[in-house]
Amino acid sequence: MPSPISAYVSDTSPGRGALRPARSWLHSDAPSRSLNGNWRFHLSPTVPAEEDFAAEGFDDSGWDSIPVPSHWVLQGDGAHGRPIYTNVQYPFPIDPPYVPDENPTGDYRRHFEVPADWSRAERVVLRFDGVESLFKVWVNGDEIGSASGSRLAHEFDVTSSVRPGGNVVAVRVHQWSAASYVEDQDQWWLPGIFRDVTLLARPAGGIEDVWLRAGFDGGRGRIETEITAEAAAFPVTLRVPELGVEKVWASAADVAPFAVDGVEPWSAELPRLYDVTVSTAAERIELRAGFRTVEIRGDRFLVNGRRVVLHGMNRHETHPERGRVFDEEHAREDLARMKRFNVNAIRTSHYPPHPRLLDLADELGFWVVLECDLETHGFDKLGWVGNPSDDPAWRAAYLDRIERTVERDKNHPSIVMWSLGNEAGTGSNLAAMSAWVHARDPERPVHYEGDHAGEYTDVYSRMYASVPETEQIGTDGSRAPLLNCTPAQGARQRTKPFVLCEYAHAMGNGPGALDQYEELVHRHPRLHGGFVWEWRDHGILAKAPDGTPYYAYGGDFGEVVHDGNFVMDGMLLSDDVPTPGLWEYKAVVQPVRFTFGELSSVSGINGFNLVDADHVAITNLRHSADTSDLRFRWRVEHDGRLVDAGDLAVPVVAAGESARVPLPKIAVADDAETWLTIDAELAAGTAWADEGHVIATAQLDRSARRPAPAVPPRGDWQPGDGTLTLGIAEFEGGSLVRLAGRDVAGPRLELFRAPTDNDEGTSGENEETDTGVAGVSHAELWRRDGLDRLTSRLVSVEQADGALRTVAKVSAADSALSVTVESVWSVEGGELELRVEIEPSRGWSTVWPRIGIRFDLPDGTAPVDGAEWFGLGPLESYPDSMRAARTGRFSSTIRDLSADYARPQETGHRSQVRELSLTSAGGEVLRVTAVPDSRGRRPGFTLGRHTPQQIARAAHPFELPHSTTSHLFVDAAQHGLGSRACGPDVWAEFALRPESRTIRLRIAAGS
């Protein structure tokens, strides 16, 4: 027989004792008192047998002090244990519902005062908004009750235990409990009281709960109110001052729906809110109503009658120092940043957030899929045997979780869909949850990705479906089978709206191919977009042995089992810095589309040709907002230098409509590239961005075509020793040793890049290509082929008048595969030119990470510390991540050229470079001009302080060695990024297969 303590922590029931029914999180004028602040705290490695700490007179003077809310593992610099990160794995034996005896248990105590006038309250309620994972409560020595459901609100009736004046509350929190089996989310395990604790005085004649449903149809609003209150609380008055509404209901039987004229609807783009009060003689509740109607019509998901496209993010509450502790200022900026990057939707993966966040979502405007606190992913490895989702013993816990989710947040107009949870298999308990939601709130659809057959959900949802599979889902009459569906089930799923609840895994450098998913959404109306995994990295701020701060991930705290840096998979780095992937996302989903018309040349004037670009079609892709909040500005640049600019006269374009707008006449230079850029920017500031913030950009290339200079023929090659000077270049034994008076080594062939997280991923073979091997990462294949350890053998050295040619054979130990590299240096018209011909041998069987050359530039007296370039920028770009890049002239320090990913990896590539200047202390050191190859392709460049090999060996940025050299890479080509860390491989079009390539550069000394 298990011990009483073991039985308690292994109890699957959701709560005991004076636990009250779930209700809304309301803004009430009834008295309340926050119990946030410093509490006394003691941590035990196991569950203590005694509970004497709860006694009123217990002496806690020897205990530590801890802030509430907080996670105890993030306090005391390890004195109270350390965080644990797992994705799928359980950090304890899978033996449901039992957990180990080694169960860290935190005891909390706090003294508090109850005002004398609270004696008139009908009830006193103690509310906990979030405790991980199981907790028990005492007040003045009386045991009140217990509860689980870490990210859910729990209220206890403590009326009989509190008294005016001094009181003491004691709370025991267990890190592990039966509830931990259903909270196996991809995140840190962070125990403690991490959300607010509040004491509430509930007045006699008060309002227990309010549900305000505000619908919209054809310009009219409809208010349906549900009021939970005793008969003595009536009359109840509802007021909407801005609409002139005042309803007085004498009894509960009088409460009835009513219509309202002159209402402006709520949407994520136009989040129109109306202040509402619901009051009795004893209490006044304040709400904000947003009038909107959610429905599914056929295979369309609609709000206010218009199809919704979700440009969304999966969002956890996470902070590198606070963990899941809520900070409103940080949260508001977090959501404002989302808006600035064209994000319009949030999936609250995989639990309800702090309730105040949803107030902000209502105010700023987001479509929210509100997800229940539920995941049992660790049962996957057991074939879902023993999964609580189909075990009747867990039914009450499952229903309690969804009830607390819906009841707490039901008043928010931003919530347009309920989600049962995530990665919990399937089973009768999930079906019961869905049935409860449908009965309680029939107006909002139910989502759950694990219901592949569509037995109890309203939308078809998948995660990480490939682009071709997503297209098949969106295609009418498709006979392609759907995952885990019979043909009949698949046919049923194709009658529903489709949502990618997770896609484009944003781990490290990436993801690629965002634009391919976006294109499908606009081609197939059944596809409603989805949610990138995920919004931000979950790094925890830590210090290296030498004191260097860094962002820790799984394994950095000595966990027994962990999932490494899989927790670092956000569009935002842990320090709030947007990744290049987020900029790419913003460009891909921009809500204004520009389509340029046919072009016609007219006569030239003063050495320029005037080109009438005719028109641009401007399409408003928004759900409900027209373009009256935008202004459109254009500029013309010659080789990246501004020559003209102005405003584009654009009429107001309604949502879903287009306008054809004439473009200005553009002066095209004969000897420079000519680019027209149009920006759609905010005409006035908003709650989330300043005036002038750019929401959409397009470029038009109007350059006069100029052929690349031909390679001059040479026939006077003779063997030589390779020691000579050509212009600014000095050679010894065929090797470059100096350029413009500074030491330089290279060019050496570089085929390796420090593997990205996607390069290391094994999530699946790309079915449509032969670029990958199922279950084997590209990085493993690159290491197998020795791309990270290439050696070179000089085959020949030849010289001609003003020229040097070397041929080298590059290969790796224990490999017969090779690459032949011919390098020709010459002085052409007074300029130093380098042409490198790269040709692989037969037999290479995998993609390459890059085809490029590397120059090593030792610091000397003038370290190379920056770059200025004309090409694509300002941020990095790769073949399948180019939409955010624009052609222009940019500059950056060497540090800012790279993204500071939590695990060092390939970063910093700038595509299609024309001109590049290497700088030192603001002065130009070397100038490089890239000459297009015979097919018009331009190389890209990367400038950094470490080699790919050094980067690949470092698990954290602080592990990179001290560098005394800058490294310039000029790449003829780079492999795409893909999303294989947890998603599809690089698409065939962007995969780099071994092939012959040419790099031509002209190099000059700095000015």
Side-chain angles (χ1 to χ4, degrees), residues 81 136 152 268 302 321 378 490 506 523 685 723 746 811 883 905 909 935:
K136 185 184 289 188
L152 303 169
L302 311 175
E321 297 175 88
R523 187 148 44 95
T723 299
S811 54
R883 294 286 289 274
Q905 57 195 273
H909 178 74
R935 292 170 55 183

Side-chain angles (χ1 to χ4, degrees), residues 834-882:
L834 167 64
R835 177 171 54 87
V836 180
E837 302 284 355
I838 301 165
E839 183 177 353
S841 67
R842 294 178 180 271
W844 293 94
S845 61
T846 186
V847 295
W848 279 352
R850 74 188 331 148
I851 302 175
I853 55 176
R854 184 180 105 199
F855 295 90
D856 298 331
L857 305 157
D859 287 348
T861 58
V864 172
D865 58 12
E868 299 175 358
W869 72 98
F870 174 44
L872 291 188
L875 299 176
E876 62 186 41
S877 55
Y878 291 83
D880 55 354
S881 182
M882 300 278 283

